[in-house]
Amino acid sequence: MTSSTVENGEATVPLDADRPRALLEIRGAIPARYYWGAGLGFIGLFLLGWVLLTELGLVSPIFLPPPAAVLQELVRQVQEGILWQDVSASVYRITVGWLISTAVALPIGILMGNFRLFEGLFEPFIDLVRYMPAVAFIPLTILWAGVGDTQKFIILFIGTFFQEVLMIMDNVKTVRYELIQVSYTFGLNRREVLFHVVLPAAMPGIWDTFRITLGWAWTYLVVAELVAANVGLGYRIMRAQRFLETETIILGILVIGVLGLMTDYSFKLTYRWLFPWVVRESQGE
Amino acid sequence: MGRPIKLLAQHVWKVFGSGPRGQAVVAVEDLSLHIHANEFVSLIGPSGCGKSTFLRMVAGLERLTRGEIQVDGRRITGPGADRGMVFQSYTLFPWLTVRENVRFALKKQDLSRQAQEEAVSHFLHQVGLQGFEDAYPAQLSGGMRQRVAIARALVYRPQLLLMDEPFGALDAQTRLLMQELLLRIWEEDRTTVLFVTHDVEEAILLSDRIYVMTARPGRLKAEVAVELPRPRSLLETESSPRFVELRRHLLALIREERIGPNPVGGA
Ligand SMILES: Nc1ncnc2c1ncn2[C@@H]1O[C@H](COP(=O)(O)OP(=O)(O)O)[C@@H](O)[C@H]1O
Ligand SMILES: [Mg+2]
């Protein structure tokens, strides 16, 4: 299906774009205002349902407090400085934990993607470990490292590293072999091909891997904090449960959600800024 | 011909998968050929007969199972900037602009920045891409991408240009334009070319000589001198009696391959 003008002598035939188009065309483009409107509208609908359920007394506030109560809790935590304390503790842990994991996964993943020898060396071991649930390591990590930040870093590492390294290996392997071959014909040696061709070509995929694994890291962080911590978003949620402070729990969950969304979007924005040459092939023009 | 020999292949064999378990595939069997300096030679044959494999061996990207390939009398042992290659699939670096892609090929040449820029501009002009220097490959049509690839393979002035069905992925009309473009560029600088194709007309139009390969395992079947006057043009050449005669002859040779028996040899 085309969206071009119809040649019709002198008469100006309206462009397709001016006509109402089907919103549900398979893979069809839609105006941005519909796209964003739909997303925001759905969140609005969700909030409306929440307000109705709670304000009409359909659910007990012990199970689900009204949005106003959560807002009040937010104000309290901001005023008392608790929120800032928790957020900075959690963000610090996730940043360091994820950076350690990435600093190890990046070189190993790149080696595995390029050299069969390294793939053979590491893959069986990684495949074995990655099916062990990170959560099950919590008792062990407490035994090894106590309940401080180090234990959180270890859980984050176990949770993200083994997946991340395999994903980076795959990112490297998707670089087309002809790109490597043609580089050799310019007289480049292996080191130059690796650094000037393979890595730049694999970088957008690796950046996406960073974004995805950082999202997973949030899950493992909260899990680690639920069990052994005295500050942090996960800790706040766990403590609130003991005293049935449902609005604190919900606030904690929402804050984590918003932080996750913010990291996701900042990775997507930097992606577009770093790799302007990548064209996404999802939509027809 | 009294011209020096640029490329000499002697009894070249390539056997794939001759490991302990793998079924051996003879891709190239005892192939010998030569190309004189400043000669344009095509290698044609049915799909899967080992043309690309042979070309990759000349480029030094694939090891020979047996035999020897020499360029300028020296045995080749690996890839090098004395041989340029244009692939059928797109091999531009997507993160570099057109200009940067062509300049990339000069990385290992000892040229000043200014000399680099001049060479890049010259070859982009030759393939008619001035005005697109700052576009990314994703913004170009298939034909334009192959023109960049050709400029990039010429810019470091290789002794021997290897082309593996460079127009095979293009639509028929673009392919004709590209053939004329290549003809014009080649008749200006006469770089030695080994051109792989399965398009008989393309081979006749461009070449001085044509080697015909058999179906798998790829052996040499015939060698045909084109003997059409240069400079050539698409319209004039394709309507000449010599062209028609050659096309009939070559098509007959290739048709034999499609119908004849196709034994798979072991090594
Ligand atoms: N890396 C490889 N491993 C195993 N077999 C291969 C490999 N490359 C090519 N072949 C086989 O060698 C034969 C010749 O292939 P190719 O040179 O690509 O043919 P052509 O370019 O003439 O179409 C084919 O049968 C193909 O399957
Ligand atoms: Mg081929």
Side-chain angles (χ1 to χ4, degrees), chain A residues 176 185-186 192 196-197 200 277, chain B residues 80 89-90 94-95 108 152 156:
Chain A
R176 294 202 0 259
T185 67
F186 304 144
E192 289 165 328
H196 296 301
V197 179
W277 45 271
Chain B
S89 60
Y90 303 129
W95 63 94
K108 303 296 278 191
R152 194 179 59 174
Y156 56 102

Side-chain angles (χ1 to χ4, degrees), chain A residues 240-285:
Chain A
Q241 179 229 335
R242 239 187 278 155
F243 302 106
L244 287 182
E245 293 164 355
T246 328
E247 62 277 1
T248 311
I249 298 180
I250 290 182
L251 178 67
I253 295 173
L254 284 177
V255 169
I256 292 169
V258 169
L259 289 174
L261 194 71
M262 276 163 50
T263 25
D264 202 78
Y265 266 71
S266 52
F267 267 88
K268 279 184 181 161
L269 282 179
T270 37
Y271 183 101
R272 259 185 255 165
W273 175 71
L274 286 170
F275 315 114
W277 45 271
V278 177
V279 272
R280 298 282 190 176
E281 288 164 9
S282 59
Q283 284 194 329
E285 274 151 280

Side-chain angles (χ1 to χ4, degrees), chain B residues 46-53 56 88 164-165 196 198:
Chain B
S47 181
C49 74
K51 304 183 295 291
S52 297
T53 305
R56 282 201 306 274
Q88 173 177 1
D164 190 359
E165 305 197 35
V196 161
H198 60 244

Side-chain angles (χ1 to χ4, degrees), chain A residues 48-281:
Chain A
L48 186 70
W50 184 6
V51 170
L52 287 179
L53 272 179
T54 49
E55 298 292 349
L56 295 178
L58 295 173
V59 228
S60 152
I62 297 218
F63 295 122
L64 185 66
V70 177
L71 213 62
Q72 239 172 9
E73 174 66 11
L74 173 69
V75 173
R76 184 186 74 83
Q77 287 200 9
V78 170
Q79 276 169 354
E80 293 178 20
I82 301 171
L83 184 72
W84 176 245
Q85 229 177 16
D86 286 342
V87 167
S88 50
S90 290
V91 168
Y92 166 72
R93 287 166 184 159
I94 199 169
T95 308
V96 175
W98 179 80
L99 279 178
I100 294 172
S101 163
T102 301
V104 186
L106 192 60
I108 294 184
I110 289 170
L111 285 175
M112 289 173 71
N114 280 300
F115 306 106
R116 297 280 291 166
L117 183 64
F118 283 97
E119 189 184 345
L121 181 67
F122 292 122
E123 185 155 24
F125 177 75
I126 290 173
D127 276 340
L128 178 74
V129 181
R130 101 189 147 105
Y131 284 106
M132 303 176 180
V135 179
F137 280 90
I138 288 178
L140 262 184
T141 56
I142 293 177
L143 195 68
W144 292 337
V147 293
D149 283 348
T150 314
Q151 183 259 344
K152 314 288 177 294
F153 300 153
I154 298 176
I155 288 296
L156 279 166
F157 184 88
I158 295 174
T160 47
F161 171 79
F162 298 96
Q163 305 287 342
E164 190 177 11
V165 74
L166 292 184
M167 287 166 75
I168 291 174
M169 173 181 80
D170 280 338
N171 295 144
V172 171
K173 282 189 178 178
T174 56
V175 177
R176 294 202 0 259
Y177 193 51
E178 284 94 342
L179 239 49
I180 295 167
Q181 291 190 314
V182 82
S183 312
Y184 281 127
T185 67
F186 304 144
L188 269 61
N189 60 34
R190 276 180 288 183
R191 199 183 58 80
E192 289 165 328
V193 170
L194 188 60
F195 285 100
H196 296 301
V197 179
V198 179
L199 291 188
M203 221 35 231
I206 292 177
W207 198 256
D208 259 339
T209 296
F210 288 170
R211 181 175 62 82
I212 293 163
T213 50
L214 195 54
W216 294 341
W218 274 105
T219 313
Y220 293 109
L221 173 81
V222 172
V223 165
E225 287 182 344
L226 281 174
V227 178
N230 47 33
V231 63
L233 292 164
Y235 161 76
R236 195 66 51 204
I237 291 171
M238 186 269 308
R239 214 185 81 112
Q241 179 229 335
R242 239 187 278 155
F243 302 106
L244 287 182
E245 293 164 355
T246 328
E247 62 277 1
T248 311
I249 298 180
I250 290 182
L251 178 67
I253 295 173
L254 284 177
V255 169
I256 292 169
V258 169
L259 289 174
L261 194 71
M262 276 163 50
T263 25
D264 202 78
Y265 266 71
S266 52
F267 267 88
K268 279 184 181 161
L269 282 179
T270 37
Y271 183 101
R272 259 185 255 165
W273 175 71
L274 286 170
F275 315 114
W277 45 271
V278 177
V279 272
R280 298 282 190 176
E281 288 164 9

Side-chain angles (χ1 to χ4, degrees), chain B residues 35-217:
Chain B
I35 302 180
H36 294 104
N38 311 112
E39 199 180 16
F40 194 121
V41 171
S42 286
L43 188 59
I44 66 173
S47 181
C49 74
K51 304 183 295 291
S52 297
T53 305
F54 179 72
L55 216 61
R56 282 201 306 274
M57 289 193 284
V58 177
L61 297 168
E62 191 98 64
R63 245 177 262 255
L64 282 66
T65 306
R66 217 182 290 165
E68 183 172 282
I69 297 176
Q70 295 177 358
V71 173
D72 284 329
R74 279 190 308 274
R75 181 192 185 126
I76 58 141
T77 52
D82 56 334
R83 283 147 290 147
M85 183 138 172
V86 180
F87 293 76
Q88 173 177 1
S89 60
Y90 303 129
T91 51
L92 299 185
F93 304 118
W95 63 94
L96 298 179
T97 62
V98 166
R99 189 202 312 273
E100 290 164 343
N101 258 286
V102 178
R103 194 166 55 214
F104 189 95
L106 293 172
K107 232 182 203 357
K108 303 296 278 191
Q109 310 295 314
D110 203 13
L111 285 179
S112 71
R113 182 71 180 202
Q114 199 198 340
Q116 285 189 13
E117 289 302 331
E118 274 165 19
V120 170
S121 298
H122 172 76
F123 283 99
L124 281 178
H125 182 82
Q126 263 207 325
V127 296
L129 279 179
Q130 62 276 48
F132 291 91
E133 290 91 346
D134 297 316
Y136 284 107
Q139 298 169 294
L140 304 179
S141 68
M144 288 161 98
R145 287 183 210 179
Q146 285 308 68
R147 283 194 264 165
V148 181
I150 291 171
R152 194 179 59 174
L154 289 171
V155 73
Y156 56 102
R157 300 191 179 277
Q159 292 290 305
L160 175 62
L161 183 61
L162 306 167
M163 305 183 91
D164 190 359
E165 305 197 35
F167 312 141
L170 304 177
D171 62 85
Q173 244 172 331
T174 310
R175 188 155 63 226
L176 292 182
L177 292 174
M178 295 292 289
Q179 288 165 359
E180 284 198 300
L181 178 97
L182 182 62
L183 199 57
R184 185 174 51 71
I185 294 177
W186 187 81
E187 285 177 350
E188 267 173 45
D189 10 283
R190 307 231 167 193
T191 311
T192 313
V193 175
L194 176 54
F195 189 94
V196 161
T197 180
H198 60 244
D199 181 338
V200 168
E201 298 180 8
E202 182 172 83
I204 304 171
L205 176 70
L206 296 169
S207 318
D208 297 318
R209 259 185 320 127
I210 299 172
Y211 284 108
V212 184
M213 280 177 85
T214 62
R216 223 178 77 194

